Amino acid sequence: MGAERREREAARWARPSPGAPAAAPTLSLRPGSGGPSASPLGPGRESVASPSEQPPTGARTGGRGAAAACGSGQPPPEDAGWQPRRRPASPTAPPAPPACTRSAGAWASRWTRPLMIVTQKITTLAFQVHDGLGRRAEDLSAEQHRLAVKVKPSFLEYLSYLLNFMSVIAGPCNNFKDYIAFIEGRHIHMKLLEVNWKEKGFHSLPEPSPMGAVIHKLCVTGVSLLLFLTLTKTFPVACLADDWFVHKANFLTRLGYLYVVMQASKPKYYVAWTLADAVNNAAGFGFSGVDQNGNFCWDLLSNLNIWKIETATSFKMYLGNWNIQTATWLKRVCYERVPWYPTVFTFILSALWHGVYPGYYFTFLTGILVTVAARTVRNNCRHYFLSSKALKVAYDVATWAATQLAVSYTVAPFVMLAVEPTINLYKSMYFYLHIVSLLIILFLPVRPQAHTQRQPWNSVNRKKTD
């Protein structure tokens, strides 16, 4: 009797109400988290189509697989952008069960952000312990000796360094010795002792306050957030996959529009990194010393310099002021330690650290070509423009424009993530930067960089004392 009753109830709920139209299935594009690992078509893009219509180019994925994965308790696949959704047949009919609304980007971003920072901290500490306990002092550079950890940290110190609330979500990465000095209250005084205060007329060490730095960075965060809510929403990355951009606009229009879209995608990074820096400063961490004018500096953990980014006249200068702490981490764990092709291995490590999206590999492999080509041009041409101020200004303007356009072209796959829209974009741009970079590398002489041989720290200190 119980089974028959359940069957009757199921049949009654399955029948549509009299006169009500049949439920119309729709397809909905649900974006991801909106952060650096957002949906390939960008945040805030939602479209509805009938079952006979196909999803737009670059976003054609399997909704059924996503729904099945969510129903089984497993995270949806990374291509689960298109997901089925049903409207209720009528106001009186019971609503259909909700579809899985957690996209792959949202699921991944929930866990990968802390893991990326923890990966940096684990490898940083591992190499610093290795330098302190496993290498001879004469084999270390001055910086490696300064940061070397010569006493194995306790388990509590290890967990505190990895999981402290100030940097567990958005970073930035920091050195173990700096963090321990902060925890023990020696952080600020340790930086101040590097300056001879008696020569400046001070009889005691001052107590610098982070208030000014925190207020300034919160203001920058507010302006960046306003730009994100206006500029980023006006020029979403999805515009780069539109039919007008790929097939109808001319080359110069595509070039300018690509620059505008990439500029509009920056404020979200400015918000996250500047706010994370302000949080550390508010806790009292991040003091870096005193500048030439005697002002206190709170940029030990800063991840970007917006002014230098926007006015960069070389690819190296741009990368050196973007995600600074990650660039420093890559330098210390890879660039300074690999015996061959350090630039190539550093870019590959950066791509692997960011994740498995194909767009990351397009960006960083292209970055290798552009970095080598930009270095070659600078070494061959720059000295011709230093004879007069007018020539230097002209050179700076030309290199600024070239740098900004090259960066926009290079990082576009980083925010598009998927293969098909990336290939369509580069085809519409005729792969111009790839071709130009290859021609420069092949036909311009590669002059060796001015390389100073690394000296052991003890010999450097000996020279200073002599």
Side-chain angles (χ1 to χ4, degrees), residues 311-326:
T311 59
T313 56
S314 69
F315 206 72
K316 179 181 179 181
M317 180 180 177
Y318 194 104
L319 296 180
N321 291 281
W322 175 272
N323 207 352
I324 297 172
Q325 301 306 322
T326 295

Side-chain angles (χ1 to χ4, degrees), residues 48-95:
V48 178
S50 66
S52 61
E53 294 176 344
Q54 296 295 328
T57 303
R60 193 170 299 164
T61 56
R64 293 180 181 177
C70 290
S72 62
Q74 299 296 325
E78 291 192 354
D79 60 347
W82 289 87
Q83 301 174 13
R85 183 175 63 184
R86 288 185 175 272
R87 298 190 184 97
S90 70
T92 58

Side-chain angles (χ1 to χ4, degrees), residues 181 185-200 202-208 287-290 296:
R186 300 180 288 106
H187 169 62
I188 293 178
H189 283 183
M190 186 176 67
K191 297 296 181 181
L192 289 175
L193 287 175
E194 298 175 2
V195 182
N196 193 341
W197 287 94
K198 292 184 179 180
E199 293 182 358
K200 299 179 180 296
F202 291 91
H203 300 288
S204 61
L205 294 177
E207 292 290 340
F287 182 72
S288 59
V290 184
F296 298 122

Side-chain angles (χ1 to χ4, degrees), residues 3-25:
E4 293 178 359
R5 182 177 181 182
R6 284 195 296 271
E7 289 178 1
R8 288 197 302 269
E9 289 292 329
R12 183 170 67 86
W13 283 108
R15 282 198 307 270
S17 59

